[in-house]
Amino acid sequence: MMKIATWNVNSIRSRLEQVVQWLQENSVDVLCLQETKVVDADFPRSLFEQLGYHLYISGQKSYNGVAIISRSPLADVSTGFAPVLGDNNIGELDEQKRVITGVLDGIRIVNLYVPNGAAVDSEKYYYKLRWLKVLRDYLQTLLQQPAEVALNPKASSAAVQSAIQNPKSLCVCGDFNIALEDRDIHDPAAFKGRIMASEAERQALRLVLELGLADAFRKFTAEGGHYSWWDYRTGAFRGNRGWRIDHHYLTPDLYERAISCKIDSAPRKLPKPSDHTPVIVEF
DNA sequence: ATGGCAGTAAAATACTGA
């Protein structure tokens, strides 16, 4: 039994009370945060540590920033693309803190904050597309790496053979800033071809998923009208004018094991909320 | 087409987000 949540909190310091409260009311094993907007030295660790959680963080001043908050310690934690792909293959893409990963109970959890892209054809849009291409290489490399058991000198040769031959279990979650299908947008016609819905972004994400990853939410829910982000402006939440852009993508073994995937819209109703709300997958 | 709203850094607005 394991629950993994993802939540873009739009500043952990502004949302600290809400996040701690939510953790106390929702017994998740792992909470992946995005847009923490704080350097590591200033991350508000203590309330989480008092609750018994372990923290793994990668932040920067003002923008971006990711963190994994886990009830149990994680193995093999790394941040950014470089530890997996090497320094020569990623250009400047690790300057923005958007990637953190670790292993829990044989599941590699990858927590992502995909670039927003500003507007189609902008400089930031091409940064987003380039980032998604590198993400594919990154995940492909993780999938090809032998599992931790294969690196353990005490593991039996049978276990090592099995670990090498069997695909790894990956839960790739976070704020993707892409609605892959029209049913993920409240008014797809109005946003056709626009940022977060454009064909090039969707195709870049599809290429990532072709590595063998499937959307946990769509295992259980086919209809539209379910969203994870609502614009602060123009009363978008009240009118449920939202987008589903926060996802859990799972390798086949985990997809089979998943027993629920739910969006918890309660935190979006609070005063001073994040514009995103948590999504939780359960195995 | 633009702005609406919110957070950060910094001290008023500019930048970013989605």
Side-chain angles (χ1 to χ4, degrees):
Chain A
M1 213 53 164
M2 190 191 299
K3 284 186 187 178
I4 301 175
T6 180
W7 190 4
N8 179 323
V9 291
N10 187 17
S11 169
I12 185 59
R13 287 178 294 182
S14 290
R15 225 63 63 200
L16 180 60
E17 204 178 321
Q18 290 183 23
V19 175
V20 169
Q21 182 75 30
W22 189 85
L23 256 185
Q24 290 179 287
E25 292 167 359
N26 295 270
S27 57
V28 298
D29 301 280
V30 178
L31 175 57
C32 295
L33 302 179
Q34 303 88 33
E35 278 208 270
T36 52
K37 295 189 173 180
V38 64
V39 294
D40 294 354
D42 294 338
F43 193 100
R45 308 178 70 103
S46 61
L47 287 173
F48 298 108
E49 289 171 343
Q50 283 167 31
L51 290 173
Y53 283 91
H54 302 259
L55 277 76
Y56 306 90
I57 58 185
S58 177
Q60 65 184 89
K61 193 164 92 169
S62 306
Y63 306 118
N64 311 312
V66 284
I68 303 179
I69 299 176
S70 177
R71 216 178 265 291
S72 301
L74 301 183
D76 204 20
V77 173
S78 65
T79 65
F81 291 130
V84 173
L85 288 177
D87 292 318
N88 299 328
N89 300 314
I90 56 160
E92 77 295 6
L93 293 182
D94 272 352
E95 286 172 15
Q96 300 181 14
K97 305 307 181 190
R98 298 177 175 279
V99 179
I100 188 166
T101 182
V103 174
L104 176 62
D105 292 348
I107 299 172
R108 175 166 288 285
I109 297 156
V110 180
N111 176 19
L112 303 174
Y113 176 44
V114 177
N116 165 266
V120 170
D121 275 340
S122 68
E123 200 175 312
K124 288 184 177 134
Y125 181 73
Y126 292 107
Y127 181 94
K128 182 179 194 175
L129 294 178
R130 205 160 70 245
W131 196 94
L132 287 164
K133 206 172 165 190
V134 172
L135 174 64
R136 186 184 194 281
D137 296 339
Y138 170 84
L139 295 174
Q140 185 167 42
T141 304
L142 284 179
L143 282 164
Q144 287 166 350
Q145 277 177 356
E148 285 62 36
V149 63
L151 302 171
N152 180 353
K154 292 179 188 162
S156 71
S157 65
V160 169
Q161 278 308 307
S162 165
I164 290 172
Q165 284 164 13
N166 294 322
K168 297 187 74 167
S169 300
L170 246 61
C171 172
V172 184
C173 65
D175 175 2
F176 284 76
N177 274 319
I178 298 172
L180 200 51
E181 302 176 299
D182 283 353
R183 61 181 164 164
D184 299 323
I185 309 172
H186 69 276
D187 185 354
F191 294 95
K192 186 175 171 61
R194 307 278 295 274
I195 197 66
M196 299 196 294
S198 74
E199 187 48 35
E201 291 168 74
R202 287 178 169 181
Q203 185 55 31
L205 180 52
R206 280 189 213 108
L207 281 174
V208 170
L209 302 184
E210 279 173 15
L211 293 170
L213 294 161
D215 184 345
F217 185 80
R218 288 302 182 202
K219 175 175 179 180
F220 305 100
T221 307
E223 78 271 10
H226 299 276
Y227 309 121
S228 62
W229 171 80
W230 299 262
D231 199 309
Y232 282 123
R233 297 164 289 191
T234 66
F237 182 67
R238 264 186 291 114
N240 196 26
R241 292 186 294 274
W243 295 58
R244 198 176 68 87
I245 54 177
D246 300 271
H247 307 296
H248 297 84
Y249 291 118
L250 308 176
T251 48
D253 56 322
L254 278 183
Y255 188 85
E256 286 306 309
R257 282 171 54 192
I259 56 172
S260 77
C261 183
K262 288 181 177 154
I263 298 168
D264 180 9
S265 57
R268 190 64 177 79
K269 297 170 184 160
L270 297 171
K272 303 280 284 177
S274 169
D275 43 356
H276 297 251
T277 211
V279 187
I280 309 101
V281 69
E282 187 174 7
F283 306 110

